Amino acid sequence: MDLYFLGTNAGVPTLQRNVTSVTLRLLEERRSIWMFDCGEGTQHQVLRSPIRLGKLEKLFITHLHGDHLFGLPGLLSSRGYQGGTAPLTVYGPPGLKAYLEISLAVSQSRIPYKIEIVEHTGGIIFEDDSFKVEAALLEHRIDSYGYRVTEKDSPGSLNTELLKSYGLKPGPIYGKLKKGEDVVTDEGVRICAADVVREPKRGRIVTILGDTRPCSGALELSLNADLIVHEATFAHDLADMAYQYHHSTARQAAELAKEAKAGQLLLTHFSSRYSSHEELIPLLEEAELLFPETLLAEEFNAYPVPRRLNGQ
């Protein structure tokens, strides 16, 4: 599981950075990709990346500002041309369905796969046997949501060496033990599942926040997350401007990560006033003072989601 950034700039694209989009690659977990936000030009960024739109399973929009949304109709259309035939679910705030239906209808775009549009106002918006996705309202100029992706704990592995010492070979008995069922061998030996199944593997938690001021919703979604993606539109010397425009500073992102007891913080959504990587270093440094496990998100870079033992 890793995050791959396609755009990290705020507001408008620049020659150095494109507007917001990030993918969560679940290739080992479910052989699919989830995308969060789709700013203008995202499909061009995809062409320069290892991302394959045919594997795109879910797309989450944090809010309906153009730098997070304007690339969506084009990307949906291109997905069909690139061999995408599997159904796709798009999640986002109320208004998303009207935007997409009008855009695709007026442009007479032909989509050769099923699109389900799920408008939400927070809460649990998706859950299956492997993952749960929760959304919560943040504090921005329009309704903006953050998403918390929770990978559910997986059963512990079998101690195969111990099982072999009982003379057992892989087969149905292994399956029963894996499910937590005690078994009795042909020789009458009772084997307790608790003795041969290791501790469950803790699932990871990834929090991806839309544009926001510091707020309780952001903290709620971030508690004990293994990785948080948080906007850092401005350095903290522009905190008043950040507040005026309903954004956050790098220091405020670090304050949240520290309070949430998170594992790692990735900063993104940088103002165009910081045109080069070197100009972003002060944002990184001010965040690291409070939360050392901070990184600057860079486009076309992958960031593995760490797995902490027992959330530590």
Side-chain angles (χ1 to χ4, degrees):
M1 185 191 296
D2 68 25
L3 287 170
Y4 189 93
F5 284 81
L6 295 167
T8 61
N9 210 59
V12 296
T14 68
L15 292 175
Q16 293 78 28
R17 298 188 299 267
N18 200 50
V19 285
T20 300
S21 182
V22 58
T23 62
L24 179 62
R25 298 192 293 185
L26 306 167
L27 298 181
E28 291 186 5
E29 291 77 6
R30 58 197 297 137
R31 298 184 179 180
S32 67
I33 294 170
W34 294 359
M35 181 178 288
F36 295 80
D37 285 333
C38 189
E40 179 184 356
T42 294
Q43 64 173 313
H44 291 273
Q45 300 291 86
V46 168
L47 293 175
R48 300 170 58 195
S49 78
I51 302 300
R52 296 293 172 263
L53 293 181
K55 293 187 178 297
L56 183 61
E57 178 189 18
K58 296 184 179 296
L59 205 158
F60 302 85
I61 299 297
T62 60
H63 63 294
L64 303 184
H65 276 156
D67 57 327
H68 296 253
L69 181 70
F70 283 166
L72 186 52
L75 182 134
L76 295 179
S77 180
S78 293
R79 182 176 185 263
Y81 285 109
Q82 295 181 20
T85 57
L88 174 67
T89 307
V90 183
Y91 302 82
L96 176 64
K97 186 173 184 179
Y99 171 77
L100 277 181
E101 288 180 345
I102 292 172
S103 299
L104 297 175
V106 170
S107 61
Q108 297 187 24
S109 299
R110 297 183 179 181
I111 307 296
Y113 54 88
K114 180 182 177 181
I115 299 178
E116 181 183 5
I117 303 170
V118 178
E119 295 185 336
H120 68 81
T121 55
I124 298 174
I125 61 173
F126 169 77
E127 186 169 13
D128 65 8
D129 292 340
S130 302
F131 286 90
K132 179 173 68 173
V133 182
E134 301 164 87
L137 186 65
L138 306 176
E139 188 175 328
H140 192 48
R141 190 159 54 86
I142 62 174
D143 284 355
S144 178
Y145 289 86
Y147 295 100
R148 178 183 176 94
V149 180
T150 301
E151 177 189 30
K152 295 185 178 180
D153 295 348
S154 56
S157 60
L158 289 174
N159 186 336
T160 55
E161 293 301 320
L162 182 56
L163 289 172
K164 287 177 182 178
S165 72
Y166 290 119
L168 295 178
K169 297 180 180 179
I173 286 181
Y174 275 38
K176 290 182 179 180
L177 291 167
K178 184 86 170 178
K179 293 177 183 177
E181 301 176 19
D182 298 341
V183 300
V184 178
T185 68
D186 294 339
E187 290 75 23
V189 178
R190 183 178 182 84
I191 302 176
C192 295
D195 296 334
V196 297
V197 179
R198 297 185 174 93
E199 287 293 317
K201 182 184 286 187
R202 177 187 175 274
R204 289 159 287 187
I205 300 172
V206 180
T207 298
I208 299 177
L209 301 174
D211 292 5
T212 186
R213 290 171 175 167
C215 66
S216 59
L219 179 60
E220 171 191 336
L221 292 173
S222 301
L223 288 173
N224 298 309
D226 295 280
L227 191 153
I228 299 172
V229 177
H230 197 298
E231 69 136 289
T233 309
F234 301 104
H236 204 69
D237 61 344
L238 295 175
D240 289 344
M241 181 180 292
Y243 184 84
Q244 177 184 353
Y245 289 103
H246 296 81
H247 285 295
S248 297
T249 68
R251 183 192 299 178
Q252 289 167 340
E255 289 171 345
L256 171 80
K258 182 178 180 179
E259 185 176 0
K261 296 181 171 58
Q264 191 174 74
L265 172 65
L266 274 170
L267 301 178
T268 187
H269 199 267
F270 308 115
S271 168
S272 298
R273 69 179 57 237
Y274 312 110
S275 60
S276 67
H277 179 77
E278 289 70 26
E279 290 176 292
L280 291 174
I281 297 301
L283 278 72
L284 175 62
E285 291 174 341
E286 72 177 38
E288 286 180 320
L289 287 174
L290 288 173
F291 192 78
E293 298 300 321
T294 302
L295 297 171
L296 295 173
E298 296 185 49
E299 293 173 18
F300 308 115
N301 271 7
Y303 299 86
V305 179
R307 187 191 303 274
R308 296 181 295 162
L309 296 176
N310 299 319
Q312 299 299 317

mmCIF file of all heavy atoms in Angstrom, residues 89-105:
data_model
loop_
_atom_site.group_PDB
_atom_site.id
_atom_site.type_symbol
_atom_site.label_atom_id
_atom_site.label_comp_id
_atom_site.label_asym_id
_atom_site.label_seq_id
_atom_site.Cartn_x
_atom_site.Cartn_y
_atom_site.Cartn_z
ATOM 1 N N THR A 89 -16.804 3.881 -8.798
ATOM 2 C CA THR A 89 -17.639 4.645 -7.879
ATOM 3 C C THR A 89 -16.947 5.958 -7.548
ATOM 4 O O THR A 89 -15.767 5.974 -7.200
ATOM 5 C CB THR A 89 -17.902 3.861 -6.578
ATOM 6 O OG1 THR A 89 -18.420 2.565 -6.896
ATOM 7 C CG2 THR A 89 -18.911 4.599 -5.713
ATOM 8 N N VAL A 90 -17.690 7.056 -7.672
ATOM 9 C CA VAL A 90 -17.170 8.391 -7.380
ATOM 10 C C VAL A 90 -17.929 8.936 -6.174
ATOM 11 O O VAL A 90 -19.166 8.977 -6.170
ATOM 12 C CB VAL A 90 -17.330 9.334 -8.583
ATOM 13 C CG1 VAL A 90 -16.703 10.690 -8.276
ATOM 14 C CG2 VAL A 90 -16.699 8.734 -9.836
ATOM 15 N N TYR A 91 -17.178 9.350 -5.146
ATOM 16 C CA TYR A 91 -17.766 9.876 -3.917
ATOM 17 C C TYR A 91 -17.451 11.367 -3.802
ATOM 18 O O TYR A 91 -16.350 11.804 -4.157
ATOM 19 C CB TYR A 91 -17.182 9.168 -2.691
ATOM 20 C CG TYR A 91 -17.344 7.665 -2.663
ATOM 21 C CD1 TYR A 91 -16.459 6.842 -3.357
ATOM 22 C CD2 TYR A 91 -18.359 7.069 -1.918
ATOM 23 C CE1 TYR A 91 -16.596 5.458 -3.323
ATOM 24 C CE2 TYR A 91 -18.499 5.689 -1.870
ATOM 25 C CZ TYR A 91 -17.615 4.891 -2.577
ATOM 26 O OH TYR A 91 -17.739 3.520 -2.545
ATOM 27 N N GLY A 92 -18.391 12.124 -3.238
ATOM 28 C CA GLY A 92 -18.111 13.534 -3.028
ATOM 29 C C GLY A 92 -19.296 14.260 -2.426
ATOM 30 O O GLY A 92 -20.364 13.673 -2.183
ATOM 31 N N PRO A 93 -19.155 15.561 -2.186
ATOM 32 C CA PRO A 93 -20.222 16.349 -1.554
ATOM 33 C C PRO A 93 -21.414 16.514 -2.488
ATOM 34 O O PRO A 93 -21.317 16.318 -3.704
ATOM 35 C CB PRO A 93 -19.542 17.700 -1.287
ATOM 36 C CG PRO A 93 -18.079 17.452 -1.442
ATOM 37 C CD PRO A 93 -17.939 16.341 -2.416
ATOM 38 N N PRO A 94 -22.562 16.901 -1.930
ATOM 39 C CA PRO A 94 -23.723 17.219 -2.760
ATOM 40 C C PRO A 94 -23.371 18.267 -3.822
ATOM 41 O O PRO A 94 -22.663 19.235 -3.540
ATOM 42 C CB PRO A 94 -24.729 17.771 -1.750
ATOM 43 C CG PRO A 94 -24.366 17.095 -0.469
ATOM 44 C CD PRO A 94 -22.862 16.997 -0.490
ATOM 45 N N GLY A 95 -23.856 18.056 -5.025
ATOM 46 C CA GLY A 95 -23.514 18.894 -6.166
ATOM 47 C C GLY A 95 -22.619 18.177 -7.151
ATOM 48 O O GLY A 95 -22.559 18.536 -8.332
ATOM 49 N N LEU A 96 -21.918 17.152 -6.692
ATOM 50 C CA LEU A 96 -21.012 16.399 -7.574
ATOM 51 C C LEU A 96 -21.776 15.707 -8.699
ATOM 52 O O LEU A 96 -21.338 15.710 -9.858
ATOM 53 C CB LEU A 96 -20.236 15.364 -6.750
ATOM 54 C CG LEU A 96 -19.329 14.427 -7.535
ATOM 55 C CD1 LEU A 96 -18.214 15.195 -8.213
ATOM 56 C CD2 LEU A 96 -18.752 13.345 -6.619
ATOM 57 N N LYS A 97 -22.931 15.118 -8.367
ATOM 58 C CA LYS A 97 -23.694 14.385 -9.381
ATOM 59 C C LYS A 97 -24.159 15.321 -10.493
ATOM 60 O O LYS A 97 -24.030 14.997 -11.680
ATOM 61 C CB LYS A 97 -24.894 13.700 -8.725
ATOM 62 C CG LYS A 97 -25.665 12.798 -9.669
ATOM 63 C CD LYS A 97 -26.738 12.005 -8.920
ATOM 64 C CE LYS A 97 -27.452 11.036 -9.858
ATOM 65 N NZ LYS A 97 -28.492 10.239 -9.143
ATOM 66 N N ALA A 98 -24.674 16.484 -10.131
ATOM 67 C CA ALA A 98 -25.130 17.441 -11.147
ATOM 68 C C ALA A 98 -23.971 17.893 -12.017
ATOM 69 O O ALA A 98 -24.102 17.984 -13.245
ATOM 70 C CB ALA A 98 -25.796 18.636 -10.473
ATOM 71 N N TYR A 99 -22.831 18.172 -11.398
ATOM 72 C CA TYR A 99 -21.655 18.611 -12.153
ATOM 73 C C TYR A 99 -21.244 17.568 -13.184
ATOM 74 O O TYR A 99 -21.002 17.886 -14.357
ATOM 75 C CB TYR A 99 -20.500 18.885 -11.194
ATOM 76 C CG TYR A 99 -19.180 19.136 -11.882
ATOM 77 C CD1 TYR A 99 -18.904 20.361 -12.482
ATOM 78 C CD2 TYR A 99 -18.222 18.134 -11.956
ATOM 79 C CE1 TYR A 99 -17.697 20.584 -13.130
ATOM 80 C CE2 TYR A 99 -17.017 18.346 -12.607
ATOM 81 C CZ TYR A 99 -16.755 19.571 -13.192
ATOM 82 O OH TYR A 99 -15.571 19.782 -13.841
ATOM 83 N N LEU A 100 -21.178 16.326 -12.766
ATOM 84 C CA LEU A 100 -20.725 15.277 -13.681
ATOM 85 C C LEU A 100 -21.758 14.987 -14.754
ATOM 86 O O LEU A 100 -21.413 14.837 -15.933
ATOM 87 C CB LEU A 100 -20.405 14.009 -12.896
ATOM 88 C CG LEU A 100 -19.031 13.937 -12.252
ATOM 89 C CD1 LEU A 100 -18.846 12.612 -11.521
ATOM 90 C CD2 LEU A 100 -17.932 14.120 -13.291
ATOM 91 N N GLU A 101 -23.011 14.884 -14.360
ATOM 92 C CA GLU A 101 -24.032 14.559 -15.348
ATOM 93 C C GLU A 101 -24.131 15.630 -16.426
ATOM 94 O O GLU A 101 -24.238 15.327 -17.616
ATOM 95 C CB GLU A 101 -25.382 14.364 -14.653
ATOM 96 C CG GLU A 101 -25.459 13.064 -13.850
ATOM 97 C CD GLU A 101 -26.798 12.870 -13.162
ATOM 98 O OE1 GLU A 101 -27.566 13.857 -13.062
ATOM 99 O OE2 GLU A 101 -27.078 11.739 -12.726
ATOM 100 N N ILE A 102 -24.061 16.899 -16.031
ATOM 101 C CA ILE A 102 -24.138 17.986 -17.012
ATOM 102 C C ILE A 102 -22.885 18.005 -17.890
ATOM 103 O O ILE A 102 -22.965 18.128 -19.119
ATOM 104 C CB ILE A 102 -24.339 19.331 -16.296
ATOM 105 C CG1 ILE A 102 -25.717 19.387 -15.650
ATOM 106 C CG2 ILE A 102 -24.157 20.494 -17.267
ATOM 107 C CD1 ILE A 102 -25.938 20.591 -14.753
ATOM 108 N N SER A 103 -21.707 17.873 -17.272
ATOM 109 C CA SER A 103 -20.454 17.909 -18.036
ATOM 110 C C SER A 103 -20.406 16.804 -19.072
ATOM 111 O O SER A 103 -20.028 17.032 -20.242
ATOM 112 C CB SER A 103 -19.258 17.770 -17.084
ATOM 113 O OG SER A 103 -19.214 18.823 -16.168
ATOM 114 N N LEU A 104 -20.767 15.599 -18.672
ATOM 115 C CA LEU A 104 -20.695 14.460 -19.588
ATOM 116 C C LEU A 104 -21.796 14.520 -20.645
ATOM 117 O O LEU A 104 -21.577 14.137 -21.802
ATOM 118 C CB LEU A 104 -20.765 13.154 -18.803
ATOM 119 C CG LEU A 104 -19.606 12.906 -17.828
ATOM 120 C CD1 LEU A 104 -19.842 11.642 -17.012
ATOM 121 C CD2 LEU A 104 -18.270 12.823 -18.562
ATOM 122 N N ALA A 105 -22.973 15.016 -20.263
ATOM 123 C CA ALA A 105 -24.076 15.089 -21.221
ATOM 124 C C ALA A 105 -23.833 16.160 -22.272
ATOM 125 O O ALA A 105 -23.983 15.913 -23.481
ATOM 126 C CB ALA A 105 -25.388 15.350 -20.482
#
